[in-house]
Amino acid sequence: MACLFCHIVEGSIPAKKVFEDDQMLAFEDIHPQAPMHVLIIPKTHVATVNDLTGDHDALVGTMLRRAAAIARERGYDAAGYRTVINTNAQAGQTVFHLHMHVLGGRPLAWPPG
Ligand code: AMP
Ligand code: ZN
């Protein structure tokens, strides 16, 4: 049984896609926490940051640059935005398929709760 985000990659669960190529998918978060709240995921299943290997180095770099491209497209690059990857329980990870949150369009408090 594939995980929720693997189902989104396969297309068996719908998502509002923002960007897609052969290695990653970006889509709107279903419960947006800011005017821009996009999730960027690898198409291959990686559960957490703890599970990354050297083979993923280029992929993670490309995901981060895609976050910048999406923020730029939406006009949030100069004002500022946040990229977040939650890992495991204490950080609040609820979906165990690696995903980068891209949040922007309002002031974002620091430190996070
Ligand atoms: P995290 O707490 O870091 O694991 O984030 C999981 C994120 O996935 C949350 O922001 C959820 O709102 C989002 N989410 C859960 N299910 C879906 C879905 N079907 N489509 C889009 N986003 C989702
Ligand atoms: Zn998955």
Side-chain angles (χ1 to χ4, degrees):
M1 180 71 180
C3 85
L4 173 64
F5 287 176
C6 282
H7 280 302
I8 288 178
V9 170
E10 291 159 6
S12 54
I13 290 177
K16 196 170 168 201
K17 289 181 186 176
V18 171
F19 175 86
E20 181 169 16
D21 67 10
D22 57 329
Q23 57 181 353
M24 76 178 101
L25 179 65
F27 53 96
E28 301 288 347
D29 194 291
I30 203 166
H31 293 125
Q33 301 300 314
M36 171 175 67
H37 191 171
V38 172
L39 301 176
I40 303 177
I41 68 173
K43 285 192 165 178
T44 57
H45 183 85
V46 180
T48 79
V49 168
N50 292 334
D51 302 295
L52 289 169
T53 69
D55 289 346
H56 300 112
D57 285 355
L59 169 66
V60 172
T62 307
M63 287 169 60
L64 190 56
R65 288 203 308 111
R66 179 52 51 187
I70 292 167
R72 190 163 52 242
E73 281 166 16
R74 297 182 182 205
Y76 297 128
D77 53 334
Y81 59 96
R82 186 170 293 165
T83 49
V84 176
I85 304 177
N86 295 319
T87 300
N88 283 341
Q90 208 154 52
Q93 185 175 7
T94 59
V95 178
F96 288 85
H97 181 129
L98 187 78
H99 50 282
M100 183 182 292
H101 297 258
V102 189
L103 297 146
R106 66 169 174 82
L108 298 164
W110 190 263

